[in-house]
């Protein structure tokens, strides 16, 4: 006890009273601990709010999960595994595998069945840039972590591409948010295994590139509470670093950077009513930037 009291006792230096360095360190440590406790309580409250209120405000798109996009916005949602192609070597095939961001939660404009915004819009934007046909297919499992995507999503994606004819196969893997939510510490290894499996989707068409978009999970409007964001931001950055480390062994896998918000637009306008998933405009903005990044990478590889 005497030693503890001496720690908090001011000392006199050059005629002035000052605290020992250990006092400052103890105060900072105490403040950090209190802030962390408050942040944990905020996270628990937000989870309860999400489960009871916000989850029902956005839902997955119920439309087709495959289609064909051509330049100038020509679109079709028929199966891409049938019919002849204009090119003997087949069109570009764009495949999406992921969680609620691929199933389109938050992007359903009405009760009418519509394709998920992200895969269809990326395919349309890519078709304009390639000046040709882009066929697409998606498997989105709401709430899925990497383990579930490997066990359930991968077989479903293989079924979709079993009979396709494509000269170039591009895969986009959207994952990580639910692994962070569940604190899956095997995330890096499981992600690496899933990326490796994506290279062997079909024996007939070789996967030319796999793209893994970075996520800005801490930017969701629902999470903008202090001190929660103070702790969440570095945690999300750490999670994204794990994503980069998971793919560093593959020469044909790239991280797609998350784009900066457009000038003059508030982040809230890019999110749906549940305050966690993008709105239609948010998906379209993200898809346009994603298509630009994919096209740039494909162009560099072709040089």
């Amino acid at each position: 006890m005497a030693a503890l009291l001496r720690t908090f006792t001011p000392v006199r230096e050059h005629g002035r009273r000052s605290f020992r360095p250990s006092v400052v360190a103890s105060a900072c440590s105490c403040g950090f601990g209190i802030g962390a406790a408050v942040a944990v309580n905020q996270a628990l409250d937000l989870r309860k709010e999400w489960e009871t209120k916000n989850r029902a405000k956005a839902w997955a798109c119920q439309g087709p999960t495959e289609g064909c996009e051509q330049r100038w916005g020509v679109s079709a949602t028929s199966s891409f595994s049938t019919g002849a192609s204009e090119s003997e070597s087949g069109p570009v095939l764009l495949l999406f595998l992921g969680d609620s961001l691929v199933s389109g939660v938050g992007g359903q404009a009405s009760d009418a069945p519509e394709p998920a915004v992200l895969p269809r819009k990326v395919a349309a934007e890519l078709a304009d840039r390639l000046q040709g046909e882009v066929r697409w297919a998606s498997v989105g499992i709401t709430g899925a972590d990497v383990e579930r995507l490997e066990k359930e999503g991968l077989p479903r994606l293989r079924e979709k591409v079993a009979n396709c004819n494509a000269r170039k196969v591009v895969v986009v893997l959207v994952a990580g948010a639910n692994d962070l939510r569940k604190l899956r510490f095997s995330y890096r290894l499981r992600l690496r295994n899933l990326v490796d499996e994506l290279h062997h989707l079909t024996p007939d068409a070789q996967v030319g590139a796999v793209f893994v978009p970075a996520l800005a999970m801490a930017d969701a409007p629902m999470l903008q509470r202090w001190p929660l964001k103070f702790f969440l931001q570095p945690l999300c950055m750490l999670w994204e670093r794990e994503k980069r480390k998971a793919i560093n062994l593959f020469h044909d896998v790239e991280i797609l950077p998350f784009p900066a918000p457009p000038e003059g637009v508030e982040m809230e306008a890019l999110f749906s009513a549940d305050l966690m998933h993008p709105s239609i405009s948010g998906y379209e903005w993200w898809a346009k930037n994603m298509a630009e990044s994919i096209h740039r990478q494909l162009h560099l590889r072709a040089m």
Side-chain angles (χ1 to χ4, degrees):
M1 177 62 73
L4 181 62
L5 290 175
R6 285 196 301 271
T7 300
F8 288 92
T9 300
V11 296
R12 190 173 297 274
E13 294 181 358
H14 305 292
R16 294 185 305 173
R17 291 162 61 93
S18 62
F19 286 94
R20 300 174 186 271
S22 57
V23 174
V24 179
S26 298
C28 291
S29 177
C30 181
F32 187 87
I34 294 173
V38 173
V40 169
N41 285 330
Q42 287 178 331
L44 294 174
D45 290 342
L46 286 175
R47 179 164 187 157
K48 183 177 180 180
E49 181 180 344
W50 164 258
E51 294 287 347
T52 57
K53 297 179 181 179
N54 288 27
R55 171 175 283 185
K57 296 180 180 179
W59 54 94
C61 295
Q62 303 299 319
T65 57
E66 56 189 51
C68 179
E69 304 295 328
Q70 299 175 351
R71 58 187 305 191
W72 302 309
V74 179
S75 176
T77 55
S78 59
S79 173
F80 59 74
S81 60
T82 60
S85 170
E86 296 178 358
S87 169
E88 293 182 359
S89 56
V92 173
L93 177 60
L94 179 66
L95 304 175
F96 273 79
L97 175 64
D99 49 29
S100 56
L101 296 170
V102 175
S103 65
V105 172
Q108 184 77 9
S110 64
D111 294 334
E114 299 175 357
V117 182
L118 187 63
R120 186 192 65 80
K121 186 65 175 178
V122 172
E125 293 283 347
L126 198 57
D128 283 342
R129 287 163 174 78
L130 294 175
Q131 298 185 358
E133 180 180 284
V134 174
R135 296 186 177 186
W136 64 272
S138 66
V139 173
I141 304 176
T142 302
D145 56 12
V146 170
E147 181 180 8
R148 188 177 174 192
L149 289 176
E150 184 175 7
K151 290 181 178 179
E152 299 179 24
L154 198 56
R156 288 167 54 184
L157 194 62
R158 282 199 173 105
E159 290 179 6
K160 284 181 174 291
V161 302
N163 300 315
C164 73
N165 175 34
R167 60 183 171 86
K168 185 179 297 183
V169 179
V170 176
V171 182
V172 179
L173 173 61
V174 184
N178 293 299
D179 295 85
L180 175 59
R181 180 172 59 87
K182 301 172 184 178
L183 287 179
R184 300 293 195 194
F185 294 109
S186 58
Y187 169 59
R188 187 202 301 182
L189 180 59
R190 289 190 178 279
L191 182 60
R192 182 176 295 162
N193 291 339
L194 178 55
V195 170
D196 184 55
E197 288 290 333
L198 287 172
H199 285 86
H200 311 288
L201 276 176
T202 169
D204 299 326
Q206 183 178 3
V207 174
V210 177
F211 296 102
V212 186
L215 303 177
M217 295 173 281
D219 289 343
M222 191 175 187
L223 304 177
Q224 304 309 303
R225 298 189 183 184
W226 188 264
L228 176 62
K229 187 175 182 179
F230 175 81
F231 293 93
L232 188 59
Q233 188 72 41
L235 181 59
C236 291
M237 292 175 64
L238 175 64
W239 217 249
E240 289 301 308
R241 189 177 69 177
E242 289 294 292
K243 182 181 291 183
R244 293 192 297 271
K245 289 183 176 180
I247 62 101
N248 61 7
L249 298 180
F250 303 96
H251 70 279
D252 57 351
V253 182
E254 297 285 344
I255 298 291
L256 299 179
F258 194 84
E263 293 185 8
V265 177
E266 297 291 335
M267 283 298 295
E268 289 78 1
L270 301 175
F271 283 83
S272 63
D274 70 354
L275 304 180
M276 283 297 295
H277 292 89
S279 60
I280 295 178
S281 59
Y283 277 118
E284 290 178 343
W285 159 73
W286 190 20
K288 182 178 181 179
N289 284 275
M290 191 180 298
E292 289 178 354
S293 297
I294 292 174
H295 179 253
R296 182 166 55 250
Q297 291 294 331
L298 293 179
H299 177 71
L300 290 174
R301 295 179 186 199
M303 294 177 63

